[in-house]
Amino acid sequence: MVDFVPQKSSRDSHSLHCGTKSFFVYDFFQRFGWRVLAPLAFLFLGLSTWFFFWHGYSVYHALPAQSALVVSFSDGAGSPSAIFNNLGHVAKLSLAQNLLADLEPFLSQTGVAEKTRGRQLVVAFSLAPNDSLRGLFAVDIGRGTDVADLLRRKNLRSTTVNFKGHTIYSVPIPNGDRVAVAGLRNLLVWSKHGYLVEDALQNARLRDTWWERQADQAEGMLRVVLRPEMLAERLQTQLATGWGHLPAWLAAHMEAVAFGFDGKKWRTAVQTRSEQPQHHLGEMPVRHMAAMLPDNTAIWAWAATDQSGALAEFAGTKTESGDFHQFLLPWVGKEAAWVLVEPHSSGMRDDQFWVCAVRDEPLAQKRLDEYGRRTGLLRRYDYQTFEIRQFLSRSLLEPFLRPGGQDFENPVCVLLDGYAVFAASTSALELWIDRYVVSQTLAAKPEFLLLHQKMPKIGSRFFFANTAYLAGLVKQLFGPEFLEKIAPDIALAQNTGLLGLNLGQARAGLWSGILASQPGTPARTPAQILWKMPLGGKAISRPHVVESLVPGEEAVILVQDDQFVLHCFSLGGSLRWQKKMSTLILSAVYGVNLLGNGSVCYLFNTAEALWLLDDEGREVAGYPLRLQSPATNGVAPVCFDGKHEYGLFVACANGNLYGFDVHGRPLAGWNPMPGIGDVQHPLVHFKSETNDFIAVQNRAGQVSVFNRTGVPQMAARDFEGTFTNAPPLFDASEGEDALRLVCISDAGQLHACRLNGPVETRDIGTPKNKNDWVSDGPTGRLGSSITVLSGSALIGIESGSFEKKYERLLPSSPDNLFPTGQPGLFGVLDREKRQVYLYDGKGEGAPGFPLGGTTSFVLHRQSAESTVFTLVVGNGGDLYSYKIDLSLR
């Protein structure tokens, strides 16, 4: 018989084993545990006490979380003023000046300078408007410094407040201000604003702060770190309409941007929020793309990848559906870029472009044609031997575009020198091609080539900016009021010239590289095309510029084509509205403040009626105002009170002169003014200190002058000859009592008649055609000289003596001479050659001319003191805008 002995299960064995182990552990701690645990507990308590109460702070601990920008100076780097002096005009920026103004007086007054020598100093700026670019300073001065004792030694009469257990001292400094100062273990913090010091004291309680994590980015004697999240918060309320999405985009894509200056170079580090695949760093082929970018490129953001499809990575899209992936991505190469040229269009709509390398051109042609058949092809035509396609839908570029935005509504594409260029309009793309054909490219600029030589050749991201266009960019993004506030800083920043930032991927999410600059040089040509816009027919009127009545708002341009359509464009080239007319407009187009609320209305006349349109091209109630007899001249709006009490004067074929108010009601004394005769030119208005004078001259040579109520101010004068030249001009150079009118007949007889005195007559040469004499004075007044076009000669006449000053023989025989809207500058038009020229009151031609044109042009000064003008001219079926810089003559 076999005895059965029960066996322990494996589970029971494990339990027994664990129980045995627990017993030994328990027994060990019973005998020796207190000898081990007590030292460990005391060690832990000591470390905790040191960490939380006794150890020194990093200067970054004191930086408030809401800081948007931090400037730091490393240990032993020298004084901040000495470092800034190495940076040229950067030291003159408001932020740098405020930094030094708050730092140096404080150091000298308190005697802290000795304690800060060789120690790290940081300055934090929130960039909030109420801070006025004043910062919070923090410096490590070592342990054992008593702030109160420090101030007593210098006999500073400070006052104190208590803030959550900390003492904050209000200390006077030499410039009359007071500074809030506090000590924080080994740190000294101070600021002009006490609430910033309070924020620092609260923030120091935190551990592992955002700013502490950025302490090692882009090291150098001077470091500048931007926190995009906070910067976006500051910008949110400042941006102009249409750009409100930028702050959110900035915060969503960038964690931090740091710049470090080592005394010679600026090093850059960009921490992104998304960890893109790491790329092999190779040669940067940016010069290839630069050879087809316009030379007026303002911003250029470039990216390259190891494999084809750079555009998808640029867009950050990972989906594989949609028109972008079906029709565009299959033929895209390894490069892609976003380009912004000199900003001029409204909202920069026509100034933005997307560019990508083409790895398979036949496939690109095929897929673009398929996309056009599927979604709609608006146009397909050849321009300068290049084929342009315009699509009905923008879905091809959807990953790059803002949801609900109006940009690239009907995108245009061309394949150009191995690249595809996408634009928002055909005119914008044609201008790109125009510059490319004549080699006005970025790679042809010597300063760009010098910048390129300074850049490392390795990298996969490149950012380029031309600071010459900074003012226009800021005005577009923030509006004119913001630009006015920072105008001095913008003027300084524009001296930087070209900026280039090369970035390579150090690790996933971190990009580092070199920031280089190259001083710019003036444009090689004083005349550069800005934009052109197609019209429905050939331009038949001179363009008219109408200023906005709201300060800072953009002016508009109005022009009529031979289909009698009146087009309204912004000064930047964007179409505002169109108005179909039934006949030719006889007058200029004037801007009037009809309601006195700053809203502009557009006044003009045809032969049949006076017209008044609102700022959207709609007829104002009561208009058009039909005339009893066809008008023979252009309407003249006269503002009597300098505000918005207008009189509208027009001559008609029945020989009468009529005056109306802006509501179409007849003016007393002008209802009508009979017997005026055949009047071709608008009335001329001159306002003295005590009276208004209104002059009218008919073709037969009769001149009459009235006051605002229609009472004659002199007996009508009759001169021999025919007068189809410009209307008479008032000459007040000898005072109001000696006021006179100057008229020139078609035969070249100049008549100067005083309102109450004799007439002086001179022969000045035969003008060639209508409007072939101009004065260099403002509208309606005689200036210092008169210029006459006689045949192919320009003749200058002195206003006072009426003696000939000069005679210039022109290279051609132009058709007519005309005023430009700017005193002292006038133009000539050669219709056969389709060219226009610009001359000054001395008969000197402006460089850069002739320019293409088939109409008279108008000049618009870009700012009150600027020598830069915008010239707008009709050229066949297009309207062209040029930038003219007369300082380069």
Side-chain angles (χ1 to χ4, degrees):
M1 184 174 179
V2 178
D3 292 334
F4 177 76
V5 179
Q7 301 292 320
K8 291 184 173 66
S9 68
S10 60
R11 181 175 179 180
D12 292 339
S13 299
H14 178 74
S15 300
L16 179 62
H17 177 73
C18 292
T20 303
K21 183 191 299 184
S22 299
F23 172 78
F24 282 114
V25 171
Y26 174 78
D27 184 62
F28 174 82
F29 277 107
Q30 280 285 92
R31 297 183 181 185
F32 308 107
W34 64 272
R35 299 176 184 176
V36 176
L37 287 180
L40 289 176
F42 278 111
L43 178 62
F44 176 78
L45 182 61
L47 289 174
S48 299
T49 302
W50 175 85
F51 186 76
F52 287 102
F53 299 101
W54 297 103
H55 87 290
Y57 285 114
S58 159
V59 287
Y60 291 95
H61 271 120
L63 302 186
Q66 68 268 24
S67 301
L69 181 149
V70 166
V71 181
S72 65
F73 304 89
S74 65
D75 307 352
S79 69
S81 58
I83 294 174
F84 277 136
N85 287 339
N86 291 330
L87 300 177
H89 58 267
V90 173
K92 299 178 182 178
L93 296 175
S94 297
L95 186 140
Q97 290 292 301
N98 288 345
L99 187 157
L100 295 177
D102 289 346
L103 174 65
E104 295 180 338
F106 173 78
L107 294 181
S108 62
Q109 181 82 350
T110 59
V112 176
E114 288 297 322
K115 290 183 171 293
T116 61
R117 186 166 296 134
R119 301 203 176 249
Q120 190 174 28
L121 169 71
V122 299
V123 191
F125 296 90
S126 73
L127 301 185
N130 56 317
D131 289 352
S132 304
L133 291 182
R134 298 291 176 169
L136 169 77
F137 294 79
V139 64
D140 184 352
I141 57 175
R143 298 281 302 167
T145 300
D146 186 335
V147 177
D149 183 61
L150 187 69
L151 299 178
R152 278 195 298 269
R153 290 180 186 179
K154 292 293 182 177
N155 296 318
L156 297 178
R157 297 182 178 179
S158 59
T159 58
T160 63
V161 295
N162 186 273
F163 176 76
K164 296 186 177 180
H166 297 277
T167 302
I168 300 177
Y169 301 85
S170 178
V171 181
I173 56 176
N175 62 9
D177 287 336
R178 300 186 73 88
V179 175
V181 186
L184 187 64
R185 297 187 195 169
N186 59 308
L187 300 184
L188 188 69
V189 294
W190 72 93
S191 174
K192 183 178 179 180
H193 301 297
Y195 59 85
L196 294 179
V197 174
E198 294 174 359
D199 289 343
L201 296 175
Q202 288 193 103
N203 197 72
R205 301 176 181 178
L206 306 175
R207 302 294 168 185
D208 191 30
T209 65
W210 188 93
W211 284 106
E212 192 176 9
R213 293 195 297 272
Q214 309 305 317
D216 60 347
Q217 298 290 351
E219 294 183 354
M221 64 172 63
L222 171 68
R223 296 178 63 248
V224 179
V225 183
L226 286 167
R227 187 175 185 182
E229 181 180 0
M230 291 295 104
L231 185 62
E233 187 176 311
R234 306 293 180 264
L235 294 177
Q236 188 67 56
T237 59
Q238 302 287 337
L239 288 165
T241 303
W243 296 102
H245 66 287
L246 275 185
W249 180 93
L250 187 71
H253 287 81
M254 294 189 203
E255 176 75 16
V257 181
F259 302 92
F261 181 66
D262 62 7
K264 294 182 180 179
K265 293 182 179 179
W266 283 95
R267 300 188 181 277
T268 307
V270 179
Q271 181 73 50
T272 61
R273 294 189 183 276
S274 60
E275 297 187 356
Q276 296 179 331
Q278 199 156 354
H279 298 289
H280 169 72
L281 301 182
E283 183 79 14
M284 292 180 60
V286 292
R287 281 190 63 178
H288 300 167
M289 188 180 287
M292 49 86 67
L293 296 184
D295 59 356
N296 67 334
T297 296
I299 296 177
W300 171 28
W302 176 91
T305 58
D306 293 335
Q307 304 296 324
S308 297
L311 206 57
E313 186 167 313
F314 204 115
T317 177
K318 298 187 181 301
T319 61
E320 297 185 359
S321 60
D323 292 340
F324 171 77
H325 284 82
Q326 182 176 353
F327 298 107
L328 187 58
L329 200 54
W331 49 266
V332 170
K334 298 181 180 181
E335 297 175 73
W338 175 77
V339 179
L340 176 76
V341 298
E342 179 180 3
H344 59 77
S345 64
S346 179
M348 298 189 288
R349 173 186 174 272
D350 290 338
D351 308 321
Q352 302 178 65
F353 302 84
W354 288 99
V355 184
C356 63
V358 178
R359 64 180 178 86
D360 188 337
E361 186 164 334
L363 179 61
Q365 299 275 9
K366 178 182 177 182
R367 291 299 174 92
L368 289 172
D369 288 341
E370 290 174 356
Y371 177 72
R373 287 193 294 270
R374 174 177 169 176
T375 62
L377 188 68
L378 288 178
R379 295 181 67 188
R380 182 174 181 172
Y381 64 100
D382 289 336
Y383 183 79
Q384 301 268 30
T385 73
F386 298 98
E387 187 176 47
I388 293 179
R389 295 174 174 85
Q390 184 175 28
F391 303 104
L392 181 63
S393 171
R394 71 177 201 158
S395 61
L396 190 69
L397 301 175
E398 198 65 43
F400 304 101
L401 308 178
R402 292 178 293 126
Q406 301 299 316
D407 47 337
F408 290 86
E409 189 171 358
N410 301 123
V412 190
C413 177
V414 68
L415 302 183
L416 191 68
D417 196 19
Y419 294 92
V421 182
F422 292 90
S425 68
T426 55
S427 58
L429 191 56
E430 288 175 6
L431 283 181
W432 181 304
I433 296 172
D434 288 342
R435 290 181 180 270
Y436 172 75
V437 169
V438 297
S439 297
Q440 292 182 2
T441 63
L442 192 59
K445 293 173 71 75
E447 54 267 41
F448 175 78
L449 300 179
L450 292 172
L451 175 70
H452 187 262
Q453 291 175 6
K454 297 179 180 180
M455 304 300 300
K457 306 305 179 190
I458 304 300
S460 55
R461 297 292 185 272
F462 179 70
F463 182 84
F464 166 88
N466 189 340
T467 62
Y469 305 121
L470 185 59
L473 180 62
V474 171
K475 184 177 180 180
Q476 289 272 10
L477 290 176
F478 297 96
E481 297 83 6
F482 185 82
L483 177 61
E484 186 177 350
K485 292 179 183 177
I486 62 172
D489 286 337
I490 292 295
L492 287 169
Q494 286 180 308
N495 294 329
T496 306
L498 308 185
L499 291 174
L501 174 59
N502 161 53
L503 293 173
Q505 200 171 19
R507 63 174 186 269
L510 180 64
W511 301 79
S512 61
I514 298 295
L515 174 67
S517 64
Q518 176 63 40
T521 56
R524 290 171 296 168
T525 173
Q528 294 185 5
I529 187 170
L530 290 176
W531 51 262
K532 71 175 181 179
M533 291 295 292
L535 305 173
K538 293 183 179 180
I540 57 173
S541 76
R542 171 189 180 178
H544 306 282
V545 173
V546 177
E547 298 285 355
S548 172
L549 300 177
V550 177
E553 281 194 4
E554 193 176 34
V556 298
I557 303 161
L558 297 106
V559 64
Q560 189 179 31
D561 65 28
D562 61 1
Q563 303 301 309
F564 302 135
V565 175
L566 179 62
H567 307 263
C568 179
F569 296 96
S570 71
L571 199 62
S574 299
L575 180 65
R576 294 285 185 86
W577 50 263
Q578 295 173 315
K579 171 73 173 177
K580 175 67 175 176
M581 308 296 298
S582 60
T583 186
L584 178 70
I585 295 174
L586 295 182
S587 67
V589 181
Y590 303 95
V592 297
N593 187 2
L594 175 65
L595 304 176
N597 61 359
S599 177
V600 68
C601 293
Y602 304 106
L603 171 73
F604 57 89
N605 74 290
T606 60
E608 294 81 14
L610 300 182
W611 292 79
L612 194 64
L613 307 180
D614 65 16
D615 56 3
E616 295 184 3
R618 300 170 300 197
E619 298 165 12
V620 173
Y623 285 84
L625 183 62
R626 302 295 174 182
L627 299 172
Q628 298 178 7
S629 177
T632 60
N633 72 341
V635 62
V638 175
C639 186
F640 291 117
D641 63 355
K643 296 179 181 178
H644 46 269
E645 183 186 338
Y646 292 94
L648 312 181
F649 299 93
V650 63
C652 293
N654 59 10
N656 293 338
L657 183 61
Y658 295 87
F660 307 92
D661 65 14
V662 290
H663 302 290
R665 298 171 299 203
L667 291 176
W670 301 90
N671 187 27
M673 179 70 67
I676 296 300
D678 183 7
V679 178
Q680 180 178 335
H681 296 287
L683 280 67
V684 176
H685 172 243
F686 175 80
K687 188 176 183 65
S688 70
E689 294 182 1
T690 58
N691 206 351
D692 287 275
F693 299 95
I694 300 173
V696 58
Q697 173 187 276
N698 63 28
R699 290 167 57 93
Q702 185 183 75
V703 180
S704 303
V705 179
F706 306 93
N707 67 10
R708 62 185 299 174
T709 61
V711 176
Q713 298 299 288
M714 76 171 193
R717 300 291 180 91
D718 292 289
F719 302 118
E720 293 184 1
T722 303
F723 291 77
T724 59
N725 299 300
L729 296 179
F730 284 98
D731 177 17
S733 60
E734 298 180 18
E736 186 176 334
D737 293 337
L739 191 67
R740 61 181 180 175
L741 289 175
V742 176
C743 315
I744 300 179
S745 72
D746 294 357
Q749 294 290 316
L750 182 147
H751 306 277
C753 61
R754 299 190 185 278
L755 296 191
N756 298 299
V759 176
E760 183 179 355
T761 301
R762 292 291 183 90
D763 188 352
I764 63 170
T766 305
K768 185 175 181 181
N769 289 309
K770 169 185 171 182
N771 285 341
D772 283 346
W773 74 278
V774 295
S775 172
D776 61 1
T779 302
R781 302 192 188 186
L782 188 69
S784 62
S785 65
I786 300 168
T787 303
V788 180
L789 176 63
S790 180
S792 60
L794 283 178
I795 301 173
I797 307 296
E798 197 74 56
S799 290
S801 64
F802 299 119
E803 299 292 338
K804 183 186 292 186
K805 289 201 308 182
Y806 65 82
E807 183 170 344
R808 303 272 192 271
L809 192 63
L810 302 182
S812 63
S813 183
D815 293 279
N816 73 300
L817 175 73
F818 55 88
T820 64
Q822 296 294 330
L825 297 171
F826 53 89
V828 295
L829 168 65
D830 189 327
R831 290 191 178 87
E832 182 179 354
K833 293 185 176 181
R834 298 170 61 97
Q835 292 178 336
V836 291
Y837 298 79
L838 177 66
Y839 292 90
D840 63 17
K842 299 178 181 178
E844 300 292 340
F849 286 81
L851 299 175
T854 56
T855 69
S856 302
F857 61 79
V858 63
L859 287 177
H860 177 267
R861 190 185 291 268
Q862 294 194 355
S863 64
E865 303 299 327
S866 177
T867 60
V868 179
F869 296 81
T870 299
L871 182 151
V872 186
V873 64
N875 191 2
D878 296 302
L879 186 68
Y880 278 75
S881 175
Y882 295 87
K883 182 173 71 174
I884 309 299
D885 190 347
L886 296 185
S887 68
L888 302 178
R889 60 172 63 206

